[in-house]
Amino acid sequence: MATVLICRRFPRLSRVTAFSTTAKCKAESGSSKSKQEKEENPETADTRSESAATIRLLNPLDYRVLYNPSAYAKSRAASQQHAARSSGQALGDTFTSPGTAQVQHTFGNASSQAFPSVRNALPKPKSKPLLKQTISVRLSAAQTKEEKRETHDSKEDPRMFQKGRPEYKSLSYDKFEPVETLPLEEGDSILHSVAVCKGSQSPGAITDYFRKLSHLPVEQHAALVSQPGFNTLCLCAVKNIGLFSTSDLIDILKACVRLVVPPTHPLLNACESEFCQRAWDMNLDQVLLVADCWRCLDRSVPSYLSILFSYANMHWKDLTLPQFVQLLYIIGEGRRTPADLTQKMESTILKYLDSFTLEEVGAVCLGLFKSLSGISDHVMRKIADRVYLQMEDMSTYALVNVLKILRYSRVDHLPLLKELGKVIPARIPTVNIQGIMHITLTCSSLHYFDEGIMAAVAMSLPSKVTYCRSKDAAKFLWSFGCLDYEPPNEEEFYSSLIEQMHRKLHEFRKFPEHLLTGLLGLAFVKRFPEDLIDYALRDEFVQKTRGSKYELKKDLFTLSRSVEIECPSYQGSRLPPQLYQEMTEMVLNFAEQEIYVRHEIVEAASLLKSMLGGPEYVKNHMILPHTRSSDLEVHLAVDGHPIPFNLKDSITDKKLKDIGVSLTDDLMTQLIKGRSNSQSPVEVESEARTPGQERRKEAGTPHAGDRAALSGGALLADARLQVGPKSELCLEAPPSLILNQQPRQVKLAIQVSNRNHYCYCSKRLLGLHCLKRRQLQQLGYVVVELPFWEWFPLLKRTRLEKLSYLHYKVFDPALLSRAG
């Protein structure tokens, strides 16, 4: 029974939509692919709900949300080919809907419900107008979509490197290469012949039919693949799969590429199995060509790739330059690195590096990046050396691929970065949005600030922001916040990205890490969109973060604590107390093992204790655990005297350091009978002090060696420092050491910074540390920094010089004026 096709114009759509009565059934049953597209393309979700039959026809071609690092630039021809493919799938493709009952069958029964029977329809001239009408509808839809294409989309072809050498023609298949078009009548004749012969054709004839049908006009390909006659031809090929010569089987696979046969088609299943069996009898060019065809078909073939990698490993010494580049391209598209090839790949890169074209350099870098291949700093620097000298001549697409692996390798190549600042700003307006994102993210990941690049990005972004995926918007916000850069058009820039975050809110349910990334980037520059923060701190969203492949608790912790400090009027959701406690303990445990023990911090803390009079005057801890870096806290009275406040560390320190103890009758009695209930731990500690320690404590003086060091310092001509007749120098003791008293004081948060707190080769503080210092000031602390460019060189100098420097920093008269 033939199904009637209806053309109907919807009032809210700008194009004609064609659908069949079976399309609704397929839409209702749903498929994993359509569900994914619905999640990734919210703009189409409402339109699709109007008619289930329009689910696939309404996919926008100008922009698709693809969580795929390779989705950077698409050629116009590729998009046109995809238009035909999408339309064909919507009009009855039975092999791309695994959620339907129809897919359980293979050829004849599956598609006969969606299209008229070939045996009845093909001989009748009335069937042709129907086919032409269907094609016309598809062309109208494709033209409408083409008009909506992103006007600033990059026209780069990700396979452009294959056009640089004639050798790639034997290693890859260009489905857009012009061919002599087959007349429609001859195509109909072939399908009629297949239907009449019912599978009695020879393998050579079957191959010839596939070649010819692939030469039909591209706009007919989608309809052809759905025809029962084509399904019959495919069934014939499957039955004779072992009888084809290798070259004929490759020609059939090429025809499938040109016709955009769905990747789950049963014919491709049979071809994959057959190629896996024949691979070891094929030459390397053929093995790579078949792998390239699988890539063009977007079909995952892990078994075949494993054979390819083993084959390449055995013939590695025979690899030519084009074969090696094509292999790396296939490795990248397969998203995995063969462990036994890693070392060989590096040596071959160095071997051919000077001979690569610039597009091939980009292809090599992209393959390494996509497959997450580890690359040594030496090889990365060699690649960067080659690139920065010829950057002007390099396409933006290839350059972005180099930046991806540079970012992944964490290699700081200053000449390349400087040259990037000269070349890329002028190109930004013409670069695809994902390319701009990767450029920006490379700068922030390497902590490299170039105002020319960042300003060009900021000026270009608002007009393109609607093309941002959730991850793009989040990484733009993170990059600008990380580098603490607010561009000249900051209000337009940030408001456009925040609006896009709202539009992509549905995507954050699946990718919660992107929302937290964006919100932290905003927090770095003191922007707190409370509605998004409320959403991120809700219990249901916090639960979703636990299913992420990333550890997001620290980000939640940083965000929530920052909101508490900087947004006192915030009334939205908050993290539960138990999560605060859990994260605080985790961060502090990490700090004790990795941060507090760093030499530059330990040295500063030790010298401060000596200079100020003991451990009770200094505390090495995290004042703000959510900022993940340590502080040396010191309290000074308004007259400049240090105030003891760290009693716990003082007692612990003395218990560890006191060696000589005066044994008195009372102490012996306590040791034998136990401590008197009337005595406090502090009093017992006082009794156990050595006489020398007691005198030093009462006088509040530094150690003897520090007195000598300080007496020679030119920075100590302060009236509070009393010099005795023998050049003994001491700090006047505070009027009282009673901790209950709260004198007017200034609380110092001393920062022992390092290079990772700053932008590369600059004194520009990174966003996280700007946030920390801003919040410390809001909590009443005065931030005092021991910058790495001053403190680190002093670590190699004398104790006198270090003490003099610390005294200058701590007892700066300007600090005392802030006491409150």
Side-chain angles (χ1 to χ4, degrees), residues 604-645:
S606 175
L607 291 169
L608 284 171
K609 291 175 185 178
S610 298
M611 185 179 76
L612 298 175
E616 61 267 35
Y617 294 95
V618 183
K619 187 172 184 179
N620 181 8
H621 69 134
M622 286 185 174
I623 298 175
L624 300 175
H626 66 276
T627 60
R628 311 171 201 176
S629 57
S630 68
D631 313 89
L632 296 174
E633 186 173 356
V634 171
H635 293 186
L636 298 177
V638 69
D639 59 357
H641 289 80
I643 299 175
F645 68 98

mmCIF file of all heavy atoms in Angstrom, residues 604-645:
data_model
loop_
_atom_site.group_PDB
_atom_site.id
_atom_site.type_symbol
_atom_site.label_atom_id
_atom_site.label_comp_id
_atom_site.label_asym_id
_atom_site.label_seq_id
_atom_site.Cartn_x
_atom_site.Cartn_y
_atom_site.Cartn_z
ATOM 1 N N ALA A 604 59.690 32.182 54.897
ATOM 2 C CA ALA A 604 59.070 33.441 55.317
ATOM 3 C C ALA A 604 58.419 33.304 56.687
ATOM 4 O O ALA A 604 58.553 34.189 57.551
ATOM 5 C CB ALA A 604 58.041 33.887 54.285
ATOM 6 N N ALA A 605 57.720 32.186 56.928
ATOM 7 C CA ALA A 605 57.062 31.974 58.217
ATOM 8 C C ALA A 605 58.081 31.872 59.344
ATOM 9 O O ALA A 605 57.897 32.451 60.429
ATOM 10 C CB ALA A 605 56.203 30.704 58.158
ATOM 11 N N SER A 606 59.153 31.151 59.095
ATOM 12 C CA SER A 606 60.188 30.987 60.131
ATOM 13 C C SER A 606 60.834 32.318 60.487
ATOM 14 O O SER A 606 61.018 32.642 61.677
ATOM 15 C CB SER A 606 61.230 29.989 59.636
ATOM 16 O OG SER A 606 62.301 29.881 60.541
ATOM 17 N N LEU A 607 61.171 33.119 59.507
ATOM 18 C CA LEU A 607 61.807 34.397 59.775
ATOM 19 C C LEU A 607 60.854 35.379 60.450
ATOM 20 O O LEU A 607 61.266 36.164 61.313
ATOM 21 C CB LEU A 607 62.339 34.988 58.468
ATOM 22 C CG LEU A 607 63.537 34.251 57.848
ATOM 23 C CD1 LEU A 607 63.804 34.763 56.443
ATOM 24 C CD2 LEU A 607 64.782 34.415 58.718
ATOM 25 N N LEU A 608 59.584 35.343 60.079
ATOM 26 C CA LEU A 608 58.605 36.220 60.732
ATOM 27 C C LEU A 608 58.450 35.862 62.198
ATOM 28 O O LEU A 608 58.319 36.742 63.065
ATOM 29 C CB LEU A 608 57.263 36.134 60.011
ATOM 30 C CG LEU A 608 57.160 36.872 58.669
ATOM 31 C CD1 LEU A 608 55.862 36.511 57.962
ATOM 32 C CD2 LEU A 608 57.233 38.389 58.885
ATOM 33 N N LYS A 609 58.440 34.569 62.502
ATOM 34 C CA LYS A 609 58.348 34.149 63.906
ATOM 35 C C LYS A 609 59.544 34.663 64.699
ATOM 36 O O LYS A 609 59.396 35.149 65.831
ATOM 37 C CB LYS A 609 58.276 32.622 63.991
ATOM 38 C CG LYS A 609 56.980 32.025 63.476
ATOM 39 C CD LYS A 609 57.033 30.491 63.479
ATOM 40 C CE LYS A 609 55.785 29.891 62.847
ATOM 41 N NZ LYS A 609 55.841 28.413 62.795
ATOM 42 N N SER A 610 60.707 34.545 64.113
ATOM 43 C CA SER A 610 61.904 35.030 64.796
ATOM 44 C C SER A 610 61.880 36.543 64.967
ATOM 45 O O SER A 610 62.231 37.077 66.023
ATOM 46 C CB SER A 610 63.155 34.626 64.001
ATOM 47 O OG SER A 610 63.270 33.226 63.925
ATOM 48 N N MET A 611 61.441 37.234 63.939
ATOM 49 C CA MET A 611 61.460 38.688 63.969
ATOM 50 C C MET A 611 60.421 39.260 64.925
ATOM 51 O O MET A 611 60.674 40.243 65.638
ATOM 52 C CB MET A 611 61.206 39.226 62.558
ATOM 53 C CG MET A 611 61.319 40.746 62.427
ATOM 54 S SD MET A 611 61.028 41.299 60.751
ATOM 55 C CE MET A 611 59.246 41.159 60.658
ATOM 56 N N LEU A 612 59.240 38.620 64.989
ATOM 57 C CA LEU A 612 58.143 39.172 65.786
ATOM 58 C C LEU A 612 58.139 38.669 67.223
ATOM 59 O O LEU A 612 57.477 39.265 68.070
ATOM 60 C CB LEU A 612 56.797 38.845 65.123
ATOM 61 C CG LEU A 612 56.595 39.444 63.716
ATOM 62 C CD1 LEU A 612 55.278 38.954 63.130
ATOM 63 C CD2 LEU A 612 56.617 40.962 63.769
ATOM 64 N N GLY A 613 58.836 37.571 67.518
ATOM 65 C CA GLY A 613 58.926 37.138 68.900
ATOM 66 C C GLY A 613 58.439 35.738 69.165
ATOM 67 O O GLY A 613 58.481 35.285 70.308
ATOM 68 N N GLY A 614 57.949 35.017 68.189
ATOM 69 C CA GLY A 614 57.518 33.653 68.439
ATOM 70 C C GLY A 614 56.370 33.229 67.552
ATOM 71 O O GLY A 614 55.787 34.029 66.817
ATOM 72 N N PRO A 615 55.984 31.959 67.607
ATOM 73 C CA PRO A 615 54.924 31.422 66.736
ATOM 74 C C PRO A 615 53.550 32.000 67.031
ATOM 75 O O PRO A 615 52.663 31.913 66.189
ATOM 76 C CB PRO A 615 54.966 29.922 67.009
ATOM 77 C CG PRO A 615 55.591 29.788 68.355
ATOM 78 C CD PRO A 615 56.577 30.906 68.460
ATOM 79 N N GLU A 616 53.365 32.579 68.229
ATOM 80 C CA GLU A 616 52.039 33.131 68.556
ATOM 81 C C GLU A 616 51.745 34.410 67.780
ATOM 82 O O GLU A 616 50.606 34.893 67.776
ATOM 83 C CB GLU A 616 51.929 33.406 70.053
ATOM 84 C CG GLU A 616 52.926 34.412 70.596
ATOM 85 C CD GLU A 616 54.190 33.740 71.123
ATOM 86 O OE1 GLU A 616 54.613 32.717 70.537
ATOM 87 O OE2 GLU A 616 54.733 34.247 72.118
ATOM 88 N N TYR A 617 52.732 34.944 67.079
ATOM 89 C CA TYR A 617 52.549 36.186 66.333
ATOM 90 C C TYR A 617 52.298 35.952 64.830
ATOM 91 O O TYR A 617 52.027 36.907 64.107
ATOM 92 C CB TYR A 617 53.780 37.084 66.494
ATOM 93 C CG TYR A 617 53.979 37.573 67.906
ATOM 94 C CD1 TYR A 617 54.819 36.895 68.780
ATOM 95 C CD2 TYR A 617 53.317 38.712 68.367
ATOM 96 C CE1 TYR A 617 55.000 37.331 70.071
ATOM 97 C CE2 TYR A 617 53.499 39.160 69.664
ATOM 98 C CZ TYR A 617 54.332 38.467 70.514
ATOM 99 O OH TYR A 617 54.498 38.900 71.810
ATOM 100 N N VAL A 618 52.422 34.704 64.383
ATOM 101 C CA VAL A 618 52.293 34.386 62.954
ATOM 102 C C VAL A 618 51.468 33.117 62.808
ATOM 103 O O VAL A 618 51.616 32.175 63.588
ATOM 104 C CB VAL A 618 53.676 34.163 62.296
ATOM 105 C CG1 VAL A 618 53.522 33.911 60.798
ATOM 106 C CG2 VAL A 618 54.593 35.348 62.534
ATOM 107 N N LYS A 619 50.622 33.112 61.802
ATOM 108 C CA LYS A 619 49.860 31.893 61.509
ATOM 109 C C LYS A 619 49.932 31.611 60.013
ATOM 110 O O LYS A 619 49.527 32.437 59.192
ATOM 111 C CB LYS A 619 48.407 32.035 61.945
ATOM 112 C CG LYS A 619 47.614 30.729 61.816
ATOM 113 C CD LYS A 619 46.238 30.839 62.439
ATOM 114 C CE LYS A 619 45.518 29.490 62.389
ATOM 115 N NZ LYS A 619 44.173 29.542 62.996
ATOM 116 N N ASN A 620 50.458 30.438 59.669
ATOM 117 C CA ASN A 620 50.545 29.998 58.281
ATOM 118 C C ASN A 620 49.319 29.135 57.985
ATOM 119 O O ASN A 620 49.235 27.980 58.385
ATOM 120 C CB ASN A 620 51.830 29.196 58.072
ATOM 121 C CG ASN A 620 51.994 28.730 56.630
ATOM 122 O OD1 ASN A 620 51.234 29.108 55.748
ATOM 123 N ND2 ASN A 620 53.001 27.892 56.392
ATOM 124 N N HIS A 621 48.351 29.700 57.297
ATOM 125 C CA HIS A 621 47.104 28.970 57.035
ATOM 126 C C HIS A 621 46.392 29.598 55.843
ATOM 127 O O HIS A 621 46.871 30.547 55.228
ATOM 128 C CB HIS A 621 46.204 28.994 58.272
ATOM 129 C CG HIS A 621 45.636 30.338 58.601
ATOM 130 N ND1 HIS A 621 44.311 30.544 58.924
ATOM 131 C CD2 HIS A 621 46.212 31.578 58.667
ATOM 132 C CE1 HIS A 621 44.098 31.829 59.180
ATOM 133 N NE2 HIS A 621 45.238 32.473 59.034
ATOM 134 N N MET A 622 45.226 29.043 55.521
ATOM 135 C CA MET A 622 44.371 29.601 54.482
ATOM 136 C C MET A 622 43.276 30.420 55.153
ATOM 137 O O MET A 622 42.367 29.864 55.759
ATOM 138 C CB MET A 622 43.744 28.497 53.634
ATOM 139 C CG MET A 622 44.680 27.821 52.659
ATOM 140 S SD MET A 622 43.759 26.633 51.624
ATOM 141 C CE MET A 622 45.030 26.133 50.482
ATOM 142 N N ILE A 623 43.370 31.726 55.042
ATOM 143 C CA ILE A 623 42.290 32.554 55.590
ATOM 144 C C ILE A 623 41.010 32.299 54.810
ATOM 145 O O ILE A 623 39.919 32.219 55.389
ATOM 146 C CB ILE A 623 42.683 34.046 55.509
ATOM 147 C CG1 ILE A 623 43.946 34.304 56.355
ATOM 148 C CG2 ILE A 623 41.530 34.930 55.988
ATOM 149 C CD1 ILE A 623 44.483 35.718 56.234
ATOM 150 N N LEU A 624 41.140 32.128 53.499
ATOM 151 C CA LEU A 624 39.991 31.843 52.626
ATOM 152 C C LEU A 624 40.259 30.515 51.912
ATOM 153 O O LEU A 624 40.829 30.493 50.817
ATOM 154 C CB LEU A 624 39.811 32.961 51.597
ATOM 155 C CG LEU A 624 39.562 34.366 52.150
ATOM 156 C CD1 LEU A 624 39.527 35.382 51.003
ATOM 157 C CD2 LEU A 624 38.262 34.409 52.937
ATOM 158 N N PRO A 625 39.843 29.399 52.511
ATOM 159 C CA PRO A 625 40.146 28.097 51.896
ATOM 160 C C PRO A 625 39.611 27.945 50.478
ATOM 161 O O PRO A 625 40.192 27.223 49.671
ATOM 162 C CB PRO A 625 39.470 27.096 52.853
ATOM 163 C CG PRO A 625 39.401 27.804 54.164
ATOM 164 C CD PRO A 625 39.182 29.247 53.821
ATOM 165 N N HIS A 626 38.523 28.643 50.159
ATOM 166 C CA HIS A 626 37.945 28.470 48.825
ATOM 167 C C HIS A 626 38.800 29.089 47.727
ATOM 168 O O HIS A 626 38.561 28.838 46.546
ATOM 169 C CB HIS A 626 36.529 29.063 48.781
ATOM 170 C CG HIS A 626 36.483 30.541 48.960
ATOM 171 N ND1 HIS A 626 36.486 31.138 50.207
ATOM 172 C CD2 HIS A 626 36.423 31.566 48.061
ATOM 173 C CE1 HIS A 626 36.420 32.451 50.052
ATOM 174 N NE2 HIS A 626 36.382 32.736 48.761
ATOM 175 N N THR A 627 39.809 29.893 48.095
ATOM 176 C CA THR A 627 40.695 30.466 47.072
ATOM 177 C C THR A 627 41.936 29.610 46.844
ATOM 178 O O THR A 627 42.751 29.928 45.977
ATOM 179 C CB THR A 627 41.125 31.881 47.465
ATOM 180 O OG1 THR A 627 41.824 31.839 48.715
ATOM 181 C CG2 THR A 627 39.920 32.799 47.589
ATOM 182 N N ARG A 628 42.125 28.574 47.652
ATOM 183 C CA ARG A 628 43.107 27.514 47.397
ATOM 184 C C ARG A 628 44.558 27.986 47.431
ATOM 185 O O ARG A 628 45.414 27.448 46.723
ATOM 186 C CB ARG A 628 42.820 26.835 46.052
ATOM 187 C CG ARG A 628 41.370 26.431 45.870
ATOM 188 C CD ARG A 628 41.081 25.963 44.463
ATOM 189 N NE ARG A 628 39.657 26.047 44.156
ATOM 190 C CZ ARG A 628 39.122 25.767 42.978
ATOM 191 N NH1 ARG A 628 39.895 25.379 41.996
ATOM 192 N NH2 ARG A 628 37.829 25.881 42.773
ATOM 193 N N SER A 629 44.849 29.011 48.207
ATOM 194 C CA SER A 629 46.242 29.434 48.398
ATOM 195 C C SER A 629 46.401 29.930 49.828
ATOM 196 O O SER A 629 45.439 30.312 50.480
ATOM 197 C CB SER A 629 46.647 30.518 47.390
ATOM 198 O OG SER A 629 45.786 31.628 47.472
ATOM 199 N N SER A 630 47.654 29.916 50.314
ATOM 200 C CA SER A 630 47.900 30.161 51.738
ATOM 201 C C SER A 630 48.206 31.621 52.029
ATOM 202 O O SER A 630 48.490 32.416 51.124
ATOM 203 C CB SER A 630 49.059 29.292 52.224
ATOM 204 O OG SER A 630 50.269 29.729 51.635
ATOM 205 N N ASP A 631 48.142 31.946 53.327
ATOM 206 C CA ASP A 631 48.453 33.286 53.817
ATOM 207 C C ASP A 631 49.300 33.157 55.075
ATOM 208 O O ASP A 631 49.192 32.181 55.831
ATOM 209 C CB ASP A 631 47.172 34.052 54.172
ATOM 210 C CG ASP A 631 46.117 33.957 53.093
ATOM 211 O OD1 ASP A 631 45.312 33.009 53.125
ATOM 212 O OD2 ASP A 631 46.082 34.835 52.233
ATOM 213 N N LEU A 632 50.121 34.158 55.316
ATOM 214 C CA LEU A 632 50.798 34.310 56.605
ATOM 215 C C LEU A 632 50.107 35.466 57.319
ATOM 216 O O LEU A 632 50.235 36.619 56.905
ATOM 217 C CB LEU A 632 52.287 34.589 56.398
ATOM 218 C CG LEU A 632 53.083 33.464 55.724
ATOM 219 C CD1 LEU A 632 54.511 33.923 55.443
ATOM 220 C CD2 LEU A 632 53.088 32.211 56.580
ATOM 221 N N GLU A 633 49.369 35.142 58.347
ATOM 222 C CA GLU A 633 48.580 36.167 59.036
ATOM 223 C C GLU A 633 49.368 36.749 60.195
ATOM 224 O O GLU A 633 49.960 36.029 61.004
ATOM 225 C CB GLU A 633 47.259 35.565 59.537
ATOM 226 C CG GLU A 633 46.324 36.599 60.139
ATOM 227 C CD GLU A 633 44.956 36.022 60.488
ATOM 228 O OE1 GLU A 633 44.714 34.827 60.189
ATOM 229 O OE2 GLU A 633 44.129 36.769 61.046
ATOM 230 N N VAL A 634 49.372 38.082 60.291
ATOM 231 C CA VAL A 634 50.053 38.817 61.356
ATOM 232 C C VAL A 634 49.130 39.935 61.817
ATOM 233 O O VAL A 634 48.482 40.586 60.991
ATOM 234 C CB VAL A 634 51.394 39.412 60.848
ATOM 235 C CG1 VAL A 634 51.993 40.361 61.880
ATOM 236 C CG2 VAL A 634 52.382 38.291 60.506
ATOM 237 N N HIS A 635 49.062 40.152 63.151
ATOM 238 C CA HIS A 635 48.254 41.242 63.698
ATOM 239 C C HIS A 635 49.176 42.281 64.318
ATOM 240 O O HIS A 635 50.085 41.933 65.085
ATOM 241 C CB HIS A 635 47.292 40.724 64.763
ATOM 242 C CG HIS A 635 46.230 39.815 64.223
ATOM 243 N ND1 HIS A 635 45.188 39.334 64.995
ATOM 244 C CD2 HIS A 635 46.035 39.303 62.983
ATOM 245 C CE1 HIS A 635 44.409 38.567 64.256
ATOM 246 N NE2 HIS A 635 44.917 38.519 63.038
ATOM 247 N N LEU A 636 48.956 43.564 63.998
ATOM 248 C CA LEU A 636 49.726 44.663 64.564
ATOM 249 C C LEU A 636 48.796 45.630 65.275
ATOM 250 O O LEU A 636 47.695 45.914 64.792
ATOM 251 C CB LEU A 636 50.489 45.415 63.464
ATOM 252 C CG LEU A 636 51.547 44.640 62.663
ATOM 253 C CD1 LEU A 636 52.137 45.545 61.588
ATOM 254 C CD2 LEU A 636 52.628 44.102 63.577
ATOM 255 N N ALA A 637 49.274 46.124 66.415
ATOM 256 C CA ALA A 637 48.529 47.175 67.106
ATOM 257 C C ALA A 637 48.712 48.484 66.355
ATOM 258 O O ALA A 637 49.564 48.607 65.472
ATOM 259 C CB ALA A 637 49.013 47.308 68.544
ATOM 260 N N VAL A 638 47.917 49.482 66.739
ATOM 261 C CA VAL A 638 47.956 50.750 66.033
ATOM 262 C C VAL A 638 49.310 51.437 66.179
ATOM 263 O O VAL A 638 49.716 52.224 65.332
ATOM 264 C CB VAL A 638 46.821 51.670 66.528
ATOM 265 C CG1 VAL A 638 47.088 52.117 67.967
ATOM 266 C CG2 VAL A 638 46.639 52.861 65.599
ATOM 267 N N ASP A 639 50.022 51.106 67.249
ATOM 268 C CA ASP A 639 51.347 51.709 67.428
ATOM 269 C C ASP A 639 52.448 50.856 66.794
ATOM 270 O O ASP A 639 53.631 51.148 66.955
ATOM 271 C CB ASP A 639 51.641 51.911 68.911
ATOM 272 C CG ASP A 639 51.605 50.613 69.698
ATOM 273 O OD1 ASP A 639 51.287 49.559 69.094
ATOM 274 O OD2 ASP A 639 51.892 50.638 70.910
ATOM 275 N N GLY A 640 52.066 49.799 66.093
ATOM 276 C CA GLY A 640 53.047 49.007 65.361
ATOM 277 C C GLY A 640 53.544 47.783 66.064
ATOM 278 O O GLY A 640 54.333 47.027 65.488
ATOM 279 N N HIS A 641 53.111 47.546 67.312
ATOM 280 C CA HIS A 641 53.576 46.365 68.025
ATOM 281 C C HIS A 641 52.832 45.119 67.545
ATOM 282 O O HIS A 641 51.622 45.179 67.307
ATOM 283 C CB HIS A 641 53.366 46.530 69.534
ATOM 284 C CG HIS A 641 54.284 47.520 70.141
ATOM 285 N ND1 HIS A 641 54.065 48.881 70.072
ATOM 286 C CD2 HIS A 641 55.444 47.354 70.833
ATOM 287 C CE1 HIS A 641 55.035 49.516 70.711
ATOM 288 N NE2 HIS A 641 55.900 48.620 71.165
ATOM 289 N N PRO A 642 53.537 44.001 67.394
ATOM 290 C CA PRO A 642 52.842 42.755 67.033
ATOM 291 C C PRO A 642 51.947 42.279 68.171
ATOM 292 O O PRO A 642 52.292 42.434 69.355
ATOM 293 C CB PRO A 642 53.983 41.778 66.770
ATOM 294 C CG PRO A 642 55.143 42.311 67.524
ATOM 295 C CD PRO A 642 54.999 43.803 67.532
ATOM 296 N N ILE A 643 50.819 41.725 67.828
ATOM 297 C CA ILE A 643 49.849 41.241 68.808
ATOM 298 C C ILE A 643 49.801 39.716 68.714
ATOM 299 O O ILE A 643 49.587 39.160 67.642
ATOM 300 C CB ILE A 643 48.455 41.812 68.533
ATOM 301 C CG1 ILE A 643 48.481 43.332 68.618
ATOM 302 C CG2 ILE A 643 47.424 41.239 69.484
ATOM 303 C CD1 ILE A 643 47.173 43.990 68.232
ATOM 304 N N PRO A 644 50.006 39.019 69.840
ATOM 305 C CA PRO A 644 49.925 37.550 69.801
ATOM 306 C C PRO A 644 48.464 37.112 69.636
ATOM 307 O O PRO A 644 47.569 37.627 70.276
ATOM 308 C CB PRO A 644 50.487 37.129 71.154
ATOM 309 C CG PRO A 644 50.227 38.288 72.046
ATOM 310 C CD PRO A 644 50.323 39.525 71.194
ATOM 311 N N PHE A 645 48.229 36.153 68.746
ATOM 312 C CA PHE A 645 46.861 35.671 68.541
ATOM 313 C C PHE A 645 46.822 34.178 68.229
ATOM 314 O O PHE A 645 45.780 33.545 68.328
ATOM 315 C CB PHE A 645 46.215 36.430 67.364
ATOM 316 C CG PHE A 645 46.829 36.113 66.025
ATOM 317 C CD1 PHE A 645 46.244 35.188 65.169
ATOM 318 C CD2 PHE A 645 48.014 36.719 65.623
ATOM 319 C CE1 PHE A 645 46.830 34.891 63.950
ATOM 320 C CE2 PHE A 645 48.595 36.428 64.402
ATOM 321 C CZ PHE A 645 48.004 35.504 63.561
#
